[in-house]
Amino acid sequence: MPNLSPDAAHRDSYTTPAGIKPNLDHPATGPVSPEARAFEAVANALQPELYVDIHARGHAGASHDMVLFPPTRPYTEDETILHAMAQHMARHGERSGIPHRVHPLTWPGWGGTDLDQPSSTLWMYRQFKSMVFLTENSEHNEHAYPQAMRIRSGVGRLKPLLAAGNQRHAQLYYPGYPCAMAIGMFDAGVVAVGKTARARRTSRIDLWRQSDAFESVSAQIPERLNTKIIQIKYTGQHLSHGAGVQVRVAGKVKPKSVTVNGKSLKPAETNGFVTWQDKYTTFAVACLPRLSAGEYEIAFRFH
């Protein structure tokens, strides 16, 4: 959306004529401003994998640019992924010659670690588990870097971010933005499944919105060599769009068997299991077409 707050932009102001900051107008009770309502309508229609809030650092002059990422749900891969992507964006932006900073979207007097803060960035993360970033351009009407430098910085940051949507994260099975791991970690977690991007998006959002209902997702301890058993207790709504249980084990090995509560699975993307390897380790996902409340034991055995 090229200009979310046109009235404010026309007045060279951060707030709307009604005194509202649209990017901070996303409380649980719903937005007040027409700008924020329009934003949420578009977001609900798209349910995007990626959201970028592009700002100009007014009154900062010829300073630095920034790539910021928000506080994330505890004990997920999200903070690591977002931080790595933010650093990647900053390295490309610095080819313009403008220095960059990378840090969380929190500091004294701003934001905080509360996932319920009413910013658009956190709202997108809460609703859809989108990958979310806020970028800042060092810019001012009177004191600014040359326009060509500023353009190269901003476009330079976005190019690798957009390219990442067509790539595959080494620790996920499907290409696309690495936001599919909804609960837990790459070595023991619950991941979105589906043969198409649309199906995986629906699966991810369903899993994400029931995150609190996964009371436990953990590997049985002690973990045995060539065997990994994931135990899940789920108390939420029936999930009809699929759920994957992912594991990662040492070395390059082949699966011998995958069972769910004793029932064997065959290789398949929707009602079975898939497996792949990175440079040093092996991954497998048990792909369940649906998930109801209950307790599950998923056992992966490898040769």
Side-chain angles (χ1 to χ4, degrees):
M1 303 177 72
N3 191 343
L4 185 65
S5 189
D7 292 329
H10 180 70
R11 297 184 301 111
D12 198 17
S13 170
Y14 192 75
T15 62
T16 69
I20 297 173
K21 300 176 181 179
N23 72 313
L24 297 177
D25 182 24
H26 301 280
T29 53
V32 174
S33 66
E35 293 86 354
R37 290 199 298 269
F39 168 87
E40 290 194 11
V42 171
N44 281 314
L46 294 175
Q47 300 186 334
E49 272 76 39
L50 172 68
Y51 169 62
V52 187
D53 191 354
I54 300 175
H55 280 231
R57 296 188 61 234
H59 311 293
S63 181
H64 54 271
D65 286 4
M66 293 193 287
V67 183
L68 311 177
F69 57 95
T72 58
R73 185 180 178 91
Y75 212 75
T76 63
E77 299 286 356
D78 298 342
E79 184 174 355
T80 300
I81 290 172
L82 292 174
H83 194 182
M85 192 70 239
Q87 288 182 313
H88 187 52
M89 294 166 63
R91 285 194 296 269
H92 281 258
E94 285 189 339
R95 293 176 181 179
S96 66
I98 297 177
H100 278 59
R101 289 183 183 178
V102 172
H103 59 77
L105 188 56
T106 57
W107 58 84
W110 171 263
T113 58
D114 182 9
L115 290 179
D116 291 324
Q117 60 180 276
S119 70
S120 58
T121 317
L122 261 294
W123 185 85
M124 294 291 288
Y125 179 71
R126 289 194 305 268
Q127 293 297 310
F128 313 116
K129 200 182 184 291
S130 304
M131 289 187 64
V132 287
F133 300 95
L134 188 148
T135 71
E136 297 269 11
N137 266 45
S138 53
E139 181 179 7
H140 187 262
N141 295 342
E142 299 173 7
H143 306 285
Y145 288 112
Q147 186 180 50
M149 289 182 71
R150 291 186 276 119
I151 291 173
R152 189 178 182 192
S153 176
V155 174
R157 289 193 299 271
L158 292 180
K159 277 186 174 180
L161 180 60
L162 295 177
N166 295 312
Q167 298 166 0
R168 187 182 73 83
H169 192 283
Q171 296 175 358
L172 291 169
Y173 183 70
Y174 290 102
Y177 287 107
C179 51
M181 179 62 67
I183 297 102
M185 314 298 282
F186 289 134
D187 65 297
V190 179
V191 66
V193 294
K195 286 189 175 183
T196 67
R198 182 184 296 274
R200 293 191 294 275
R201 182 183 305 118
T202 304
S203 171
R204 181 189 84 241
I205 294 171
D206 281 358
L207 290 168
W208 182 241
R209 291 179 177 177
Q210 293 294 314
S211 294
D212 291 337
F214 285 87
E215 295 189 5
S216 63
V217 177
S218 60
Q220 187 182 72
I221 302 296
E223 299 181 53
R224 290 172 284 169
L225 184 64
N226 294 333
T227 297
K228 193 145 188 173
I229 297 175
I230 304 299
Q231 296 171 323
I232 294 175
K233 183 179 181 181
Y234 177 64
T235 60
Q237 299 175 6
H238 177 76
L239 299 174
S240 59
H241 296 287
V245 181
Q246 177 167 314
V247 297
R248 183 186 192 189
V249 295
K252 293 192 172 184
V253 293
K254 294 182 179 181
K256 182 178 181 181
S257 67
V258 179
T259 61
V260 179
N261 289 348
K263 181 182 178 181
S264 296
L265 301 183
K266 295 181 179 181
E269 291 185 49
T270 55
N271 189 8
F273 70 90
V274 295
T275 184
W276 73 101
Q277 298 171 339
D278 63 8
K279 193 172 182 180
Y280 303 110
T281 63
T282 299
F283 297 82
V285 174
C287 306
L288 312 179
R290 61 194 63 84
L291 190 72
S292 298
E295 296 185 5
Y296 298 85
E297 183 172 280
I298 302 93
F300 299 81
R301 295 178 176 84
F302 297 86
H303 289 290

